[in-house]
Amino acid sequence: MAEKDVHQSSNAYEVNPESGSDEAHNTEYNLASSHDQLHRGLKSRHIQFLALGGTIGTGLFIGSGAILARNGPAPLFMGYCFMMLIVWVMMNILAEMVTYLPMRGITIPYFTGRFVDPSLAFACGWNYWYAYTMLLGAESVAAGIVVDYWQPPVNIGLWIAIVLIIILLLNIFAVSFFGEAEFWFASIKLIALCGLLILAVVIFFGGGPNQHHVRGFHYWKDPGAFIEFKAEGATGRFLSFWAAFISGGFAFITAPELVAISAGETVAPRRNIPKAARRFIYRLAFFYALGSLMIGILVPSNDKKLLGASNASASPFVIGIQNVGIPVLNHIINACILTSAWSAGNSFLYSGSRVLYSMALNNQAPKWFGITNKRGVPWVAVLFTWAFGCLAFLNVSNSGAVVFNWFVNISTISGFIAWIVVMITYIRFRKAMEFNNMLDVLPYKTPLQPYATWVVLVVITILTLTNGFALFIHGNWNTQSFIAAYITLPIFFALYLGHKLWYRTSWYIPIPSVDVMTGKREMDELEAMDVPPVPKNWVEKVWFWIA
């Protein structure tokens, strides 16, 4: 019985495209039957903006305020810059794998089960789904925090409900609807962020209505660049940076995966996925490095309106505009930040539902999560994932800052665990490609590999273990915070070990047995059929470069 189960579990990831089955003769290798297929409805511009739009969300617009209030502007800037480098490595290794095999229905757990171990894939898949549901809740709570800035006369629960319903409607119809919505959502927040960066330069040089001198880096001097955290002197400053580094992860976690998950629904994936991956780091550097630097210029770390500084909370960008006396603009930017929360929530529901869909195809979740409608949308998985996003209604009986912090802690640790699994998967994938002398056939290769992956693996493991380090300093114990910081670890190991004991799988798939061929021929054929668009004039050249 056990041997039979093991065989079934392993075969979920092993289909021979050279066999005589109907699937082998399809133009494109798929993971699902023909009536439960996802559709390739995402164009290049959708992927470009999904890559960046999914990264720029409430972590930058709202969560950064909490880091500023707790740690100061220098740790905020440094934490985001270091985390940005980690995300660059994550995007690179994900892009290498999914560009090689951009099959319909793929997700990260699919690659984990194929290159590492079915049990690890099972735990990874449910961890991803769990992370995306928590992130959906976090974005919904963030939307409530943004709306609360206007102090409307109705309960915040109504606004959370409106946000969740619109996110559901955008995901339940065709994937092209989701792609278009995400494109315009991302466009709004990118334009708004560009405007904010320009405004920050103006305020830096004293151009605000209430300013009478050049501000420069005044707030880095008074109240100071660092807020010592849980200790004094150099130790306190280092702990402040480390706390900001950990918290900065919330702004980035699962962002690279958005592109990887969408590969199976992307037009010309071997052309468009590398295009998005190559430009990802430059756009991150522009928006996150400059954005976090400007926040420390706009707002002092002791401003009482920052998230977590008091019961009142708002985006540091909005506070900065309000403090220099610019009328109306603070409300416009607040509205743009609201669309940002909507956009990120939209992306997370999409990703969570696709993870569940792929797991259903690989016998890692109930089969009915693999059901799609006539437009190729896995509607059962969408509804199930969306239902858990309703945890955002916890905000009705608690303060927005408290509930948002719960979601941040839970989703951040889940994201770190997911990244550890991704790196293990990539290392195994690369070893298998080397074993088969196939590294030279990879359609997309990235620099510094595999050394960068090993370095980041060590760093992320340390970040995961020290996620709640402040709780262990004398006088700082808080049971609720401890649970939020570490509950994901025992859940993940319970899923992993439970699956391994039930199916009695081996600890890992031997490198000679790792399948690096299934689907390759079909993906090569799909690439051969791709006809890249040729720009007719300089306007199209610029547009094709952007999107």
Side-chain angles (χ1 to χ4, degrees):
M1 179 67 178
E3 291 180 0
K4 181 180 179 181
D5 288 340
V6 171
H7 180 70
Q8 289 175 341
S9 178
S10 298
N11 279 350
Y13 303 99
E14 297 170 4
V15 178
N16 182 4
E18 304 299 335
S19 68
S21 67
D22 292 336
E23 288 184 21
H25 293 105
N26 286 344
T27 302
E28 181 179 347
Y29 174 71
N30 302 301
L31 299 183
S33 57
S34 60
H35 62 280
D36 285 328
Q37 279 299 327
L38 302 176
H39 291 182
R40 290 198 183 274
L42 298 178
K43 301 175 182 177
S44 175
R45 61 188 174 92
H46 297 149
I47 297 302
Q48 296 291 330
F49 280 75
L50 183 64
L52 192 57
T55 309
I56 298 174
T58 51
L60 177 61
F61 286 122
I62 296 177
S64 57
I67 300 175
L68 179 64
R70 185 189 63 201
N71 306 115
L76 171 65
F77 176 64
M78 294 163 60
Y80 273 19
C81 286
F82 276 91
M83 192 57 68
M84 188 177 66
L85 293 175
I86 286 175
V87 174
W88 174 63
V89 173
M90 296 304 305
M91 173 60 86
N92 283 346
I93 63 178
L94 283 167
E96 279 196 33
M97 290 189 290
V98 300
T99 302
Y100 178 64
L101 294 172
M103 301 176 296
R104 291 181 185 178
I106 60 163
T107 54
I108 312 307
Y110 169 78
F111 288 118
T112 303
R114 182 165 162 173
F115 302 141
V116 187
D117 167 44
S119 296
L120 189 62
F122 177 79
C124 173
W126 283 106
N127 176 66
Y128 262 120
W129 176 82
Y130 170 73
Y132 284 124
T133 58
M134 293 299 103
L135 287 166
L136 174 60
E139 297 299 335
S140 302
V141 169
I145 291 173
V146 171
V147 173
D148 202 45
Y149 174 80
W150 289 304
Q151 297 183 338
V154 296
N155 191 285
I156 195 172
L158 174 64
W159 304 113
I160 292 175
I162 292 172
V163 168
L164 285 169
I165 289 171
I166 292 178
I167 288 174
L168 174 63
L169 293 176
L170 291 173
N171 274 269
I172 207 70
F173 296 112
V175 67
S176 58
F177 289 2
F178 161 81
E180 284 299 321
E182 188 56 31
F183 173 78
W184 291 108
F185 272 147
S187 298
I188 290 171
K189 61 183 171 185
L190 293 180
I191 292 170
L193 193 49
C194 286
L196 285 170
L197 294 177
I198 294 171
L199 177 65
V201 173
V202 173
I203 293 174
F204 180 90
F205 289 104
N210 293 347
Q211 293 181 275
H212 304 292
H213 52 79
V214 175
R215 176 178 292 178
F217 290 94
H218 172 73
Y219 293 145
W220 286 57
K221 299 175 184 177
D222 182 18
F226 284 85
I227 298 175
E228 294 176 353
F229 188 69
K230 307 301 181 184
E232 296 180 355
T235 302
R237 290 191 292 274
F238 173 77
L239 291 180
S240 186
F241 157 72
W242 195 254
F245 189 19
I246 294 170
S247 298
F250 171 73
F252 297 93
I253 53 167
T254 72
E257 289 92 328
L258 292 175
V259 175
I261 289 172
S262 64
E265 296 176 79
T266 300
V267 175
R270 283 194 173 173
R271 170 165 51 87
N272 290 323
I273 298 299
K275 182 179 176 182
R278 277 192 295 265
R279 295 171 185 176
F280 191 68
I281 185 62
Y282 303 112
R283 293 170 177 176
L284 272 187
F286 180 76
F287 288 111
Y288 263 99
L290 288 181
S292 59
L293 181 65
M294 293 305 177
I295 287 170
I297 292 169
L298 290 173
V299 188
S301 58
N302 57 3
D303 194 299
K304 297 300 181 184
K305 294 185 288 294
L306 289 169
L307 182 69
S310 65
N311 289 331
S313 54
S315 166
F317 290 103
V318 174
I319 296 170
I321 293 169
Q322 192 176 22
N323 287 349
V324 297
I326 301 175
V328 182
L329 185 59
N330 57 322
H331 299 292
I332 295 173
I333 296 302
N334 208 51
C336 291
I337 294 172
L338 178 59
T339 66
S340 172
W342 237 317
S343 167
N346 193 35
S347 299
F348 294 139
L349 177 55
Y350 168 84
S351 300
S353 63
R354 269 40 177 198
V355 167
L356 207 52
Y357 167 83
S358 181
M359 289 175 64
L361 301 187
N362 293 308
N363 301 317
Q364 302 279 23
K367 285 290 186 185
W368 35 274
F369 288 132
I371 298 173
T372 61
N373 61 20
K374 63 181 181 180
R375 295 181 180 271
V377 175
W379 63 273
V380 179
V382 169
L383 284 174
F384 186 76
T385 304
W386 177 83
F388 283 84
C390 293
L391 287 169
F393 287 109
L394 286 168
N395 197 19
V396 174
S397 57
N398 295 276
S399 78
V402 170
V403 177
F404 184 74
N405 195 50
W406 288 344
F407 280 122
V408 166
N409 284 337
I410 292 172
S411 55
T412 299
I413 193 73
S414 295
F416 287 163
I417 292 171
W419 283 355
I420 290 171
V421 175
V422 167
M423 286 182 279
I424 292 172
T425 302
Y426 174 75
I427 290 168
R428 298 279 298 171
F429 165 73
R430 189 178 177 91
K431 283 181 179 291
M433 295 297 283
E434 287 177 347
F435 178 82
N436 290 279
N437 297 315
M438 292 178 62
L439 273 181
D440 59 328
V441 305
L442 283 175
Y444 180 57
K445 298 177 184 177
T446 57
L448 305 178
Q449 297 300 346
Y451 312 107
T453 300
W454 282 106
V455 171
V456 172
L457 178 59
V458 172
V459 172
I460 291 296
T461 301
I462 295 172
L463 286 174
T464 302
L465 296 176
T466 59
N467 180 48
F469 76 91
L471 300 170
F472 301 101
I473 298 174
H474 181 70
N476 289 284
W477 179 259
N478 182 288
T479 303
Q480 286 183 336
S481 297
F482 175 79
I483 292 172
Y486 290 107
I487 187 63
T488 308
L489 283 171
I491 291 175
F492 180 86
F493 282 112
L495 289 168
Y496 171 67
L497 294 174
H499 184 276
K500 190 162 288 293
L501 290 172
W502 182 265
Y503 289 104
R504 299 182 184 276
T505 61
S506 59
W507 286 108
Y508 56 86
I509 301 171
I511 290 296
S513 301
V514 171
D515 176 16
V516 293
M517 293 302 298
T518 297
K520 179 184 181 298
R521 177 172 60 83
E522 289 80 2
M523 294 302 100
D524 290 344
E525 292 173 359
L526 183 68
E527 180 184 19
M529 292 187 293
D530 176 35
V531 180
V534 178
K536 299 176 182 178
N537 49 56
W538 69 269
V539 175
E540 287 192 352
K541 284 184 179 180
V542 172
W543 176 247
F544 287 169
W545 185 86
I546 294 173

